Amino acid sequence: MSLMLFVERVYIGIVNVIVKIIGRKPEKRYKYEPIKDDLELGNSVYPMVLVQIPMYNEKEVYQLSIGAACGLSWPSDRIIVQVLDDSTDPIIKDMVERECQRWASKGINIKYEIRDNRKGYKAGALKEGMKRSYVKHCDYVAIFDADFQPEPDYLWRTIPFLVHNPELALVQARWKFVNADECLMTRMQEMSLDYHFTVEQEVGSSTYAFFGFNGTAGVWRISALNEAGGWKDRTTVEDMDLAVRASLKGWKFVYLGDLKVKNELPSTFKAYRYQQHRWSCGPANLFRKMVMEIVRNKKVNLWKKVHVIYSFFIIRKIVAHLVTFVFYCIILPATVLVPEVEVPKWGAVYIPSIITLLNAVGTPRSLHLMVFWILFENVMSLHRTKATFIGLLETSRVNEWVVTEKLGDALKTKGVSKAPKKPRFRFDERVHMLELGVGAYLFFIGIYDAFFGKNHYYIYLFTQAIAFFIMGFGYIGTIIPQS
């Protein structure tokens, strides 16, 4: 499996370099020209655009996302901003509604929509939003999560691709992290996600016209969305589900790496763990549900099927997690206790080193943090592997959905930097027994290797064990003071 991951990383790395050299930019692969004014038709020459903002108790960021959406440059009579508020806190609900009313008083066509339950979570909210009568007049729908802040020219740079290329269903923008420098954990996330955008998304868009929709910062052709079956809540990755179904209908996607939308990374370890559970469990569960549907599909060619099943699902969503944890945190350390088993250097050192270097190319400014990133990713692989098995086996937590907590400017407004308060220690939130258990396993094997072993893995084993202990006791990320 390690070799499978290595081949995949090298392959997409080579393809990415070729794409950069030959300059296969979206504007060259697809027809792109600004939408021109028409004196006779007036604003009707511009397509009708719906902007959806799903949110749930987003006290810290709701003003940012609503303000950014209402600030989008587009003819005012050709855009509708739809705020889908699933908040259960009546105070926050009232705040969001008043914010919508404030923008409506300025002449913005904004709709505040609520429902009496949270069935289907985000997918359910988006599905309900698409049922509104005014949506039938819209051609395209742009979707932004509650912490996303698109620039005013976002629609001018995305809509023309859909207008001039009827085979395109989705235009996806890149994420720009406003809090990447908040703490070491956010820097680690930036390294992982930058690789996803600069390499995986770019290669998928350039070669197969397919990649997983990121759930936000994208514009969909509504007819393509409907043809694919609309939003489904059968997994926790409704965005990926929709993307795969649309691709199987023959629709193409384009990724715009030069178009960036500001957003926030989860900066508390608790929020990040929940997010990674959803991002790892959901794809594995979707693979279980859709693999035969992909195999039997007759609208796409064999190579695209192979790409979706093998490269997109098996390697990136399953093997990548299993190899990192099972091999590097369980099997390789165990060889210290069984000296008869010898792992060749190419498997223990060379391949993982090359994979790591290829992963780091997306964030050159963080190359000096590579060792910390490796240790961090190895610890998180435990959580991701567990979530992957939950998704594949469909056990109890398979549909668990916990909204990723956003802090916005909360810490700044509380004046934490001026008068920090001692965080309140909660055992159930701060202590993670699985991480501590694996840390103890690595630590004791490291001791054995230092005294009796011949592999000399103990330096790696001790440092990795410390990383597991640090994260096991919750001493990573932003710790929010309790008032």
Side-chain angles (χ1 to χ4, degrees):
M1 287 197 297
S2 183
L3 191 59
M4 291 166 63
L5 183 61
F6 170 73
V7 172
E8 163 70 8
R9 289 288 190 266
V10 171
Y11 164 71
I12 62 176
I14 292 172
V15 173
N16 189 55
V17 170
I18 294 173
V19 168
K20 299 290 186 186
I21 291 174
I22 65 177
R24 279 177 60 84
K25 292 187 176 181
E27 294 82 357
K28 293 183 178 180
R29 287 183 284 120
Y30 297 99
K31 182 180 179 182
Y32 176 84
E33 59 182 44
I35 302 173
K36 299 177 181 178
D37 291 329
D38 190 305
L39 295 177
E40 292 184 5
L41 296 176
N43 284 346
S44 62
V45 73
Y46 295 95
M48 196 74 181
V49 179
L50 175 70
V51 179
Q52 289 185 312
I53 312 174
M55 57 177 60
Y56 171 74
N57 293 338
E58 306 286 3
K59 179 182 178 182
E60 309 298 347
V61 295
Y62 75 94
Q63 287 180 308
L64 296 175
S65 57
I66 294 175
C70 292
L72 287 169
S73 175
W74 199 253
S76 59
D77 60 337
R78 308 298 293 170
I79 184 172
I80 302 172
V81 177
Q82 186 186 64
V83 177
L84 304 167
D85 188 15
D86 268 2
S87 298
T88 52
D89 187 321
I91 297 176
I92 297 176
K93 212 168 197 174
D94 183 60
M95 292 165 66
V96 175
E97 184 175 14
R98 281 190 279 112
E99 182 69 8
C100 293
Q101 292 172 348
R102 187 174 75 84
W103 282 102
S105 67
K106 295 182 178 182
I108 300 296
N109 188 359
I110 184 170
K111 309 290 185 181
Y112 176 71
E113 305 288 359
I114 59 173
R115 52 188 185 142
D116 56 8
N117 63 74
R118 290 193 66 216
K119 184 178 182 298
Y121 304 110
K122 180 181 175 181
L126 292 169
K127 186 176 182 178
E128 283 298 312
M130 296 299 292
K131 292 179 180 179
R132 298 297 183 264
S133 59
Y134 52 82
V135 174
K136 66 182 179 182
H137 302 295
C138 298
D139 304 291
Y140 310 111
V141 54
I143 302 166
F144 300 103
D145 282 350
D147 58 315
F148 278 71
Q149 306 164 55
E151 296 296 332
D153 65 347
Y154 177 88
L155 295 178
W156 294 113
R157 297 177 64 180
T158 54
I159 297 297
F161 280 101
L162 296 167
V163 170
H164 299 304
N165 302 277
E167 73 276 21
L168 285 179
L170 167 68
V171 180
Q172 175 71 61
R174 182 175 172 174
W175 298 0
K176 180 181 179 181
F177 312 113
V178 297
N179 65 330
D181 294 322
E182 183 174 328
C183 61
L184 185 60
M185 191 182 80
T186 52
R187 286 291 291 272
M188 301 298 100
Q189 292 176 66
E190 181 191 38
M191 292 178 71
S192 300
L193 288 171
D194 276 353
Y195 175 81
H196 168 69
F197 285 109
T198 59
V199 180
E200 292 179 342
Q201 297 277 82
E202 193 73 66
V203 170
S205 176
S206 301
T207 56
Y208 300 95
F210 168 79
F211 48 84
F213 172 45
N214 296 318
T216 177
V219 185
W220 278 92
R221 187 186 302 274
I222 291 180
S223 60
L225 191 155
N226 291 333
E227 184 186 341
W231 295 103
K232 292 187 178 181
D233 59 5
R234 56 182 174 174
T235 70
T236 57
V237 283
E238 72 296 322
D239 42 14
M240 188 182 296
D241 189 343
L242 175 60
V244 174
R245 284 185 282 112
S247 180
L248 294 180
K249 293 290 185 180
W251 289 99
K252 296 181 177 181
F253 310 152
V254 63
Y255 166 70
L256 306 182
D258 294 333
L259 179 58
K260 300 177 182 180
V261 180
K262 292 186 291 186
N263 71 295
E264 180 181 324
L265 291 164
S267 57
T268 66
F269 190 42
K270 177 184 176 182
Y272 186 60
R273 278 168 57 93
Y274 278 127
Q275 183 201 67
Q276 292 304 296
H277 172 85
R278 192 170 76 245
W279 285 9
S280 302
C281 176
N285 190 234
L286 181 63
F287 175 70
R288 172 188 169 125
K289 285 179 163 66
M290 290 201 69
V291 61
M292 293 312 300
E293 182 181 341
I294 298 170
V295 171
R296 291 192 293 263
N297 183 272
K298 300 187 185 307
K299 284 194 174 184
V300 297
N301 60 44
L302 177 62
W303 288 113
K304 193 164 188 176
K305 290 181 183 179
V306 171
H307 171 70
V308 175
I309 293 175
Y310 178 78
S311 181
F312 182 75
F313 274 116
I314 294 179
I315 298 297
R316 299 181 199 172
K317 309 302 180 185
I318 299 174
V319 169
H321 305 322
L322 299 184
V323 166
T324 306
F325 177 67
V326 176
F327 183 72
Y328 298 111
C329 297
I330 301 296
I331 295 177
L332 189 62
T335 60
V336 171
L337 304 177
V338 188
E340 294 80 11
V341 178
E342 186 173 344
V343 179
K345 279 190 176 181
W346 61 263
V349 179
Y350 301 142
I351 284 181
S353 297
I354 294 172
I355 291 174
T356 300
L357 286 170
L358 290 173
N359 272 295
V361 298
T363 316
R365 80 184 188 105
S366 297
L367 284 174
H368 63 291
L369 298 174
M370 194 182 300
V371 172
F372 295 103
W373 179 77
I374 294 170
L375 298 174
F376 174 78
E377 284 294 297
N378 284 350
V379 176
M380 288 308 302
S381 70
L382 162 64
H383 198 59
R384 292 171 185 145
T385 298
K386 175 186 172 186
T388 298
F389 278 117
I390 288 173
L392 289 173
L393 301 176
E394 285 197 335
T395 57
S396 58
R397 292 183 61 197
V398 67
N399 287 318
E400 179 184 80
W401 181 289
V402 178
V403 175
T404 306
E405 180 185 29
K406 294 101 179 176
L407 299 182
D409 292 328
L411 293 182
K412 296 177 185 176
T413 56
K414 288 179 181 178
V416 173
S417 59
K418 295 181 181 179
K421 298 178 182 178
K422 187 176 181 180
R424 183 187 303 165
F425 185 86
R426 290 190 58 179
F427 186 88
D428 58 330
E429 289 187 4
R430 290 283 300 279
V431 176
H432 308 290
M433 299 307 297
L434 276 177
E435 281 87 342
L436 293 177
V438 175
Y441 164 76
L442 294 173
F443 185 77
F444 286 117
I445 289 182
I447 292 175
Y448 181 89
D449 189 44
F451 286 99
F452 309 109
K454 62 177 184 178
N455 294 322
H456 304 296
Y457 289 157
Y458 58 86
I459 297 176
Y460 159 70
L461 293 169
F462 285 143
T463 53
Q464 189 63 70
I466 291 170
F468 270 99
F469 288 142
I470 290 172
M471 296 174 72
F473 284 113
Y475 285 103
I476 188 169
T478 301
I479 299 175
I480 305 175
Q482 302 293 326
S483 54

